[in-house]
Amino acid sequence: IFDNLSKIRILSLIKYNKKFQNIADITTKDYKYFSEIEIELIPTENAREKFINIEEKKDKPYYHIYLHENKHSNKINKINVIIDYQVKSLSHLFYNIYDIESIKFIRFYRNNIYDMSSMFERCSLLKELDLSNFNTKDVTDMHSMFEKCTSLIKLDVSNFNIENVTDMNCMFKKCIKLEELNLFDFNSKNDINMNCMFSLCSSMQKLNISDFNINNETTMWKMFFQCPRCLQINIKSKFKEIKDEAFDNTDI
């Protein structure tokens, strides 16, 4: 059974079977190498059965989902998602899943994830998002990452490493309840697409982008489009010289 499987893949199959663990010479201590990304989800009361998107591709990613059920109810009150070591893209992972109210990344040891585009896009009932253990070191694409997270009031991305990112197009677009955002340490070595990055963030009042690396080829079309409450944008002097198209139809 085990001849053609790696130790890590075997472990995913026999995690709870001690007899097979002994046969394969595997201990539960090895599990940390498999469960490098672990996510805790809390669904809404009227949640559907589907909590994670698995895109149909040739190199289909492997998602291992464990459900923790409430002993006093048939409803699921917590879901743990273990993401396989083979997965390198988290693009559209929770796309359009509108019945999750809390997502927490418990462990995120891997640094080979390159794509987080539309990862939480259209999670319209998401109220809590804990990214304190997030690893974005090798990510190149963050476009529409939080787009239309219309219930999100707070978001801490202070630990994000964006040095390799080239696309932030619509990253926070239409986060209509987001009031404050601190991107002080956002500094990329690349030219970035920032079109519509904060567009339609109608409740945004404070935005710190003072450490942004603004290169000549960086695009910013409608970057702050219709952000009428954005009374404080903390920017460097060189940022003031960008084209008016970034502030199109914005009263600041």
Side-chain angles (χ1 to χ4, degrees):
I1 296 174
F2 304 120
D3 283 350
N4 296 319
L5 295 175
S6 69
K7 222 175 187 184
I8 296 177
R9 294 298 292 156
I10 297 169
L11 186 59
S12 67
L13 299 173
I14 64 173
K15 181 185 175 186
Y16 300 106
N17 192 312
K18 290 185 179 179
K19 183 177 180 180
F20 279 145
Q21 286 174 10
N22 291 333
I23 294 172
D25 189 26
I26 288 177
T27 66
T28 51
K29 292 180 181 178
D30 295 319
Y31 193 69
K32 67 180 181 181
Y33 299 112
F34 172 78
S35 59
E36 291 166 323
I37 299 178
E38 184 176 356
I39 311 168
E40 179 185 281
L41 313 177
I42 298 178
T44 61
E45 289 186 4
N46 300 317
R48 303 168 294 168
E49 293 182 0
K50 184 178 180 183
F51 298 99
I52 196 165
N53 287 315
I54 301 177
E55 294 187 41
E56 295 295 330
K57 292 182 178 179
K58 262 190 175 182
D59 54 339
K60 186 176 179 180
Y62 296 88
Y63 296 106
H64 299 268
I65 303 174
Y66 302 94
L67 305 183
H68 298 266
E69 296 185 3
N70 189 329
K71 294 180 180 179
H72 306 290
S73 170
N74 291 326
K75 293 181 179 178
I76 298 171
N77 66 353
K78 186 184 291 185
I79 301 163
N80 271 14
V81 181
I82 310 296
I83 297 186
D84 196 295
Y85 70 101
Q86 297 181 58
V87 177
K88 294 182 179 180
S89 170
L90 300 182
S91 177
H92 291 80
L93 184 64
F94 299 108
Y95 177 81
N96 201 32
I97 300 181
Y98 49 79
D99 41 16
I100 298 178
E101 60 181 27
S102 175
I103 300 177
K104 179 179 182 179
F105 281 76
I106 302 172
R107 291 189 287 183
F108 201 136
Y109 297 145
R110 297 224 322 268
N111 59 6
N112 65 334
I113 303 298
Y114 68 92
D115 190 350
M116 291 184 176
S117 60
S118 299
M119 187 174 176
F120 307 100
E121 185 179 354
R122 296 177 183 267
C123 290
S124 56
L125 294 183
L126 182 62
K127 296 178 181 178
E128 296 181 358
L129 183 55
D130 187 342
L131 304 175
S132 55
N133 293 319
F134 224 51
N135 188 346
T136 62
K137 182 178 181 296
D138 290 327
V139 177
T140 60
D141 193 346
M142 290 183 175
H143 86 264
S144 300
M145 188 173 178
F146 307 102
E147 183 175 352
K148 295 185 179 178
C149 288
T150 52
S151 297
L152 204 59
I153 297 176
K154 294 182 179 180
L155 182 62
D156 185 356
V157 292
S158 58
N159 65 317
F160 273 31
N161 182 338
I162 68 157
E163 63 181 21
N164 293 305
V165 175
T166 58
D167 194 348
M168 289 183 172
N169 179 37
C170 298
M171 186 174 177
F172 305 99
K173 183 180 179 181
K174 210 171 184 179
C175 290
I176 58 174
K177 290 189 177 181
L178 200 61
E179 298 179 355
E180 185 174 345
L181 205 53
N182 189 348
L183 309 182
F184 176 75
D185 290 325
F186 270 39
N187 203 329
S188 175
K189 60 187 179 184
N190 302 302
D191 297 321
I192 311 177
N193 179 352
M194 294 181 180
N195 292 339
C196 299
M197 187 173 176
F198 308 102
S199 179
L200 300 170
C201 289
S202 53
S203 297
M204 185 75 71
Q205 298 185 46
K206 293 183 180 180
L207 180 60
N208 189 345
I209 49 178
S210 58
D211 201 38
F212 261 26
N213 183 16
I214 307 302
N215 297 321
N216 292 331
E217 298 303 318
T218 294
T219 57
M220 300 176 183
W221 182 76
K222 292 193 175 182
M223 186 175 178
F224 307 103
F225 177 68
Q226 289 193 357
C227 298
R229 299 187 65 190
C230 202
L231 304 176
Q232 180 180 341
I233 299 182
N234 194 345
I235 55 181
K236 284 184 178 179
S237 58
K238 65 175 180 178
F239 209 121
K240 296 177 182 178
E241 299 174 2
I242 64 176
K243 297 179 181 178
D244 290 339
E245 61 185 16
F247 299 95
D248 189 16
N249 202 20
T250 302
D251 183 17
I252 59 171

